[in-house]
Amino acid sequence: MNNKKLVFSGVQPTGNLHLGNYLGALKNFVSLQKEMDCIYCVVDLHALTVFQKPNDLQNNVLETVASFVATGLDPNKSIIFNQSAVSGHAELAWIFNCVSRVGWLNRMTQFKDKAGSDKEKASVGLYIYPNLMAADILLYKATHVPVGADQKQHLELSRDIAQKFNNDFNCKNFFPLPEPLISKNISRVMSLRDATKKMSKSEESDYSRINLKDSADEINKKIKKAKSDSSSIPDNLKNLEKKPEAYNLINIYSEISKKNLDKVLKEMSGKEYSFLKNKLAEILIDEIIPVGKEIKKLLSDKPYLVQILKKGTEKANIIAEENLKNIREKVGLI
Ligand code: TRP
């Protein structure tokens, strides 16, 4: 077996990426790019599992690519492409639909959350979403998958599928069992209005999140209005952990300033939250505004973004076709 490490990750084309995407995924992608071969895929087929307006979907795919590049992903180094352009994803997903078990999918908590109370009305695609995700990863025989903690269960399913395929078709080690890369210090970036929820594009209030395209003024206002705490900043982690809103702000400060939590607490303990908020707004503006500017600049040159996807697609297709040839053979397809 080839022991080379290969990173694969997928990002849904939601458009309007925010600080949670930036700290939780994009920055991590950029640092992995320095160490390993990486494939970053905009998963437009996954997006179809809930209805998308076709024009919005197109724009959101391009905006996601712009956000990748603006954050520092290098299209000459990493493979950047959109899922639907490499038809192998859909083909392997079908094969995996036949390897994966109904009982396995029935355990997926994300389906239960997303389908809500009326499961009969969810698309079939939403139900088999994790099989497509396994296909994304295994089509390239990727070994490492940077994901948020919420995707851990899907990744375990990918491993189960890989293992069952290897067993069923008598080809031990054919598919690697992909490992999740869940970055330790990026505990989740939470909503600025309710720190029990993840920062999310779908929360109604725009004050709940810092968007990568926000102006300095907006960042300032949002941080000033963020929920915190009436007492002063605690001097130890244990007490901080009891205050989710304060914890969230300190955690974001720690991530952006690259100082660990203990160091930040030393700097901040006993101070008012307004002190933290001023500093936080300042460093966020320094970090986010250039990224936002770059996204906007890239979005004004759509042909360039399309070109990046095209080049990435060509490179991805070569690996995918080579692997698919072997997969078809193993399964007995002529
Ligand atoms: N399900 C992932 C998410 O919502 C996106 C995704 C699709 C993905 N395919 C993938 C992530 C493959 C990692 C690897 O975040």
Side-chain angles (χ1 to χ4, degrees), residues 243-268:
K243 301 170 190 274
E245 269 86 22
Y247 188 87
N248 188 34
L249 295 178
I250 297 257
N251 185 46
I252 296 172
Y253 184 82
S254 149
E255 283 300 324
I256 301 276
S257 65
K258 299 193 183 79
K259 295 177 192 162
N260 66 33
L261 283 173
D262 283 329
K263 202 163 172 208
V264 174
L265 281 179
K266 257 194 203 126
E267 185 183 330
M268 298 279 171

Side-chain angles (χ1 to χ4, degrees), residues 5 8 30 64 67-68 78 84 86 93 96 101 112 117 130 151 168 182 207 245 247 263 286 329:
K5 288 182 182 172
F8 183 98
V30 174
T64 306
S67 307
F68 281 1
S78 298
S84 63
V86 175
F96 284 172
R101 304 288 94 181
K112 290 178 198 161
S117 53
Q151 294 298 312
D168 287 357
I182 297 172
Y207 276 94
E245 269 86 22
Y247 188 87
K263 202 163 172 208
D286 280 351
E329 205 172 281

Side-chain angles (χ1 to χ4, degrees), residues 8-12 29 39 41-43 46 83 89 110 114 129-130 132-138 144-148 150-151 154-155 158 198:
F8 183 98
S9 196
V11 174
Q12 289 236 23
F29 290 177
I39 304 178
C41 178
V42 185
V43 291
H46 275 110
Q83 188 185 30
H89 290 255
Q110 185 169 296
K114 284 202 178 168
Y129 174 120
L132 176 59
M133 180 163 160
D136 296 340
I137 300 165
L138 295 169
H144 291 79
V145 184
V147 279
D150 61 331
Q151 294 298 312
H154 288 164
L155 210 65
S158 301
K198 252 173 88 165

Side-chain angles (χ1 to χ4, degrees), residues 35-195:
E35 300 158 27
M36 295 186 226
D37 290 336
C38 299
I39 304 178
Y40 296 118
C41 178
V42 185
V43 291
D44 48 5
L45 294 176
H46 275 110
L48 296 181
T49 56
V50 290
F51 182 77
Q52 306 284 325
K53 288 192 193 133
N55 268 337
D56 290 355
L57 179 60
Q58 244 175 35
N59 287 329
N60 288 343
V61 168
L62 295 182
E63 186 161 335
T64 306
V65 178
S67 307
F68 281 1
V69 175
T71 310
L73 285 184
D74 175 357
N76 292 318
K77 202 151 183 258
S78 298
I79 298 180
I80 297 173
F81 75 108
N82 57 318
Q83 188 185 30
S84 63
V86 175
S87 59
H89 290 255
E91 183 177 342
L92 185 56
W94 178 257
I95 294 175
F96 284 172
N97 285 340
C98 303
V99 173
S100 182
R101 304 288 94 181
V102 170
W104 297 354
L105 289 181
N106 283 344
R107 284 199 287 274
M108 295 296 117
T109 56
Q110 185 169 296
F111 175 74
K112 290 178 198 161
D113 292 346
K114 284 202 178 168
S117 53
D118 199 353
K119 291 187 186 39
E120 300 275 313
K121 287 222 170 97
S123 73
V124 176
L126 191 65
Y127 182 63
I128 57 175
Y129 174 120
N131 294 343
L132 176 59
M133 180 163 160
D136 296 340
I137 300 165
L138 295 169
L139 182 58
Y140 303 93
K141 299 191 174 186
T143 56
H144 291 79
V145 184
V147 279
D150 61 331
Q151 294 298 312
K152 215 174 142 207
Q153 194 186 33
H154 288 164
L155 210 65
E156 277 156 16
L157 184 91
S158 301
R159 296 164 64 92
D160 289 343
I161 290 175
Q163 200 149 34
K164 186 167 190 305
F165 184 101
N166 292 348
N167 275 332
D168 287 357
F169 298 103
N170 228 334
C171 48
K172 210 171 164 231
N173 296 337
F174 179 74
F175 283 125
L177 306 185
E179 301 273 349
L181 289 177
I182 297 172
S183 154
K184 306 182 255 343
N185 43 1
I186 306 194
S187 50
R188 303 190 303 174
V189 178
M190 310 308 274
S191 157
L192 301 176
R193 310 296 296 161
D194 173 0

